[in-house]
Amino acid sequence: MIAQSIVPASGPVDVAATIARFQADADTSLMPFDEGVLAIAASLSRRLATDAEARTFPALQALAFWMRKAELLRLRDAFRRLEDASRILVPRGTVFHIPPANVDTLFVYSWLLAVLAGNRNVVRLSSRMSRQGSLLCRMLNEEFHQHRDGLLARNTIMLSYGHDADISAALSAICDVRVVWGGDGTVNAMRKVPLPAHAVEMTFPDRYSWAALQVDAFLALDEEARDTLADQFYNDTFWFDQLGCSSPRTVVWVGEAGRGAQAAAQFGDAVAARIRARGYRVDVGASLAKRTFAYRAVLDQPVSRVSWVSNELAVADLAAMAPMDRGHPGGGFLFQRVVPDLSEIGGLLSSRDQTLAYFGFTPDSMRAFAATLGSRSFDRIVPIGEALRFDRYWDGYDLLAQFTRQVTIGSSQS
């Protein structure tokens, strides 16, 4: 079984030999928040923040900010608070990550949280890597080369292989945690591949996200504040071509209908201006897919009008809130509806819904709204501008806790 190693070095790799090495190193796990790991992460953060090419990719700058040393030390302190006199956290062992191809920085978040918890890691990367993904791997290799004497280089391999069921089965057979980020198709395919009886699995299927804006709060903004909000919405929506599960696809305006239409029109213009200013473009294939989706939506959904603001932004007005299948083409397509109260969407939500990005509501009102939904939906409710901000809490999991095993320590009763 031959795969293509990408990190910590590029070239063909014998998967069986890698598995044997991981099993031989089982007794030499990293300690949680190992100083060597923190040093590499901090160095990579600085490199991403200062490299001229990396600075052209907002998603890489967000990653650099998230993995800066101060943030990782805060994470370490939070990790230590999970322990007490009767409980310690230890690494689970080997983590097999299967990140998505459409969010090409996610593999670093998943890997780093697992390695900070002290685990060995196998990361399967897509062979269709983007320019920013390739840049990220090159920088990781440079960091590994500079720190080649540490345990981390022996405990990490990022590789690529085709649809080879034997390799997936072999890697699954030795893992203690399997993390499947790739959406419904990948999750369903990997669930056919057995895991050791003791292993745990985290799955991240296809999800759908919303935005909710309070009409009067938006109309009260001056022009500069509206532009800032539009810029934050742009970041949430267009960084990954609207294909990230957390990117808003339906926008709900909450307020009086006439003022809602006015606010929606002004916001659409502001977002279109940000798209032009950022130089965002969709290719021909994505544009055709968006148009095909729009025509089908007009037939299948209560769509009253589709406004083609530009090739990069189309807005479909909904005549009513109705159940939807959550299909979406990406590339700048929004459903939109003005409702008198946010509770109107409550009955339409399902386990497919992940993030609600909001503006003009108080955190307390969002907390009260979430409490009315029960188990129906929304794992994350965040201000607009933070929809793609990665956190250890994702899709209802505490990733840092999931990457560790709790050891309880009793004491004799006196």
Side-chain angles (χ1 to χ4, degrees):
M1 296 182 293
I2 301 298
Q4 184 70 25
S5 173
I6 299 174
V7 176
S10 61
V13 61
D14 185 330
V15 175
T18 299
I19 289 173
R21 191 190 79 209
F22 268 50
Q23 291 175 319
D25 287 347
D27 295 331
T28 56
S29 296
L30 293 160
M31 293 297 291
F33 288 87
D34 178 89
E35 288 296 331
V37 175
L38 291 173
I40 287 180
S43 178
L44 179 60
S45 173
R46 288 193 297 273
R47 190 187 292 252
L48 289 168
T50 55
D51 181 87
E53 184 179 4
R55 287 177 63 83
T56 65
F57 295 105
L60 293 184
Q61 297 312 296
L63 174 61
F65 186 77
W66 179 80
M67 67 192 303
R68 70 196 190 283
K69 188 169 184 179
E71 177 64 16
L72 296 185
L73 292 179
R74 186 193 63 78
L75 198 61
R76 182 191 62 187
D77 294 342
F79 178 84
R80 289 176 175 168
R81 286 196 293 272
L82 296 174
E83 298 180 313
D84 56 33
S86 63
R87 178 180 56 176
I88 64 169
L89 302 180
V90 299
R92 283 192 181 270
T94 297
V95 182
F96 179 24
H97 307 257
I98 305 172
N102 61 337
V103 182
D104 43 16
T105 56
L106 186 55
F107 73 94
V108 176
Y109 292 102
S110 186
W111 162 75
L112 186 54
L113 280 175
V115 80
L116 284 172
N119 295 286
R120 297 173 297 279
N121 291 273
V122 179
V123 184
R124 180 188 178 182
L125 296 177
S126 171
S127 58
R128 297 177 287 109
M129 194 167 292
S130 68
R131 187 176 148 215
Q132 66 175 334
S134 298
L135 175 62
L136 192 49
C137 287
R138 177 175 63 78
M139 289 185 169
L140 269 170
N141 276 337
E142 291 168 356
E143 292 297 335
F144 274 101
H145 182 73
Q146 290 183 11
H147 300 82
R148 59 185 177 275
D149 295 332
L151 266 178
L152 182 57
R154 285 188 60 80
N155 286 355
T156 290
I157 185 165
M158 301 183 185
L159 46 75
S160 175
Y161 58 90
H163 296 288
D164 190 322
D166 290 340
I167 294 180
S168 292
L171 294 174
S172 295
I174 63 149
C175 76
D176 301 283
V177 184
R178 188 166 65 188
V179 191
V180 186
W181 290 93
D184 288 8
T186 305
V187 169
N188 291 333
M190 290 307 300
R191 278 189 167 160
K192 298 174 183 174
V193 181
L195 285 171
H198 74 278
V200 298
E201 183 175 49
M202 288 184 281
T203 59
F204 298 87
D206 295 333
R207 305 298 297 274
Y208 191 94
S209 292
W210 302 58
L213 296 92
Q214 213 282 334
V215 169
D216 290 337
F218 175 81
L219 292 176
L221 297 176
D222 60 25
E223 183 175 348
E224 182 179 0
R226 291 180 187 182
D227 288 344
T228 297
L229 183 64
D231 201 55
Q232 293 167 331
F233 184 83
Y234 172 92
N235 291 340
D236 286 349
T237 307
F238 292 96
W239 270 10
F240 300 108
D241 291 327
Q242 208 184 8
L243 295 175
C245 290
S246 306
S247 293
R249 297 169 183 178
T250 293
V251 177
V252 178
W253 290 91
V254 180
E256 189 273 326
R259 288 173 61 78
Q262 177 187 356
Q266 293 179 2
F267 187 63
D269 290 343
V271 172
R274 297 317 304 161
I275 291 172
R276 291 192 297 273
R278 297 285 193 98
Y280 175 75
R281 295 288 184 271
V282 296
D283 60 30
V284 174
S287 181
L288 289 174
K290 192 162 57 177
R291 285 191 177 271
T292 302
F293 179 84
Y295 298 144
R296 193 170 65 243
V298 169
L299 296 174
D300 298 340
Q301 305 285 342
V303 173
S304 59
R305 181 183 63 172
V306 178
S307 301
W308 293 95
V309 181
S310 69
N311 194 48
E312 284 69 38
L313 179 62
V315 181
D317 290 320
L318 293 168
M321 298 303 300
M324 58 181 71
D325 64 8
R326 269 66 169 176
H328 197 273
F333 188 93
L334 296 169
F335 288 107
Q336 177 174 266
R337 171 72 178 163
V338 182
V339 297
D341 191 275
L342 192 56
S343 62
E344 286 215 359
I345 71 170
L348 301 174
L349 301 176
S350 74
S351 58
R352 302 287 287 182
D353 298 303
Q354 184 213 53
T355 296
L356 174 67
Y358 69 89
F359 168 77
F361 300 90
T362 65
D364 283 345
S365 68
M366 289 291 99
R367 187 177 295 109
F369 173 62
T372 67
L373 301 178
S375 62
R376 279 189 303 231
S377 73
F378 290 142
D379 296 315
R380 306 172 65 237
I381 299 178
V382 298
I384 285 179
E386 297 186 11
L388 296 178
R389 182 177 178 183
F390 193 78
D391 189 78
R392 60 183 269 206
Y393 301 102
W394 201 263
D395 274 20
Y397 295 110
D398 179 350
L399 294 172
L400 203 53
Q402 292 288 326
F403 285 136
T404 57
R405 184 166 52 85
Q406 297 190 20
V407 178
T408 56
I409 304 166
S411 59
S412 58
Q413 300 294 317
S414 59

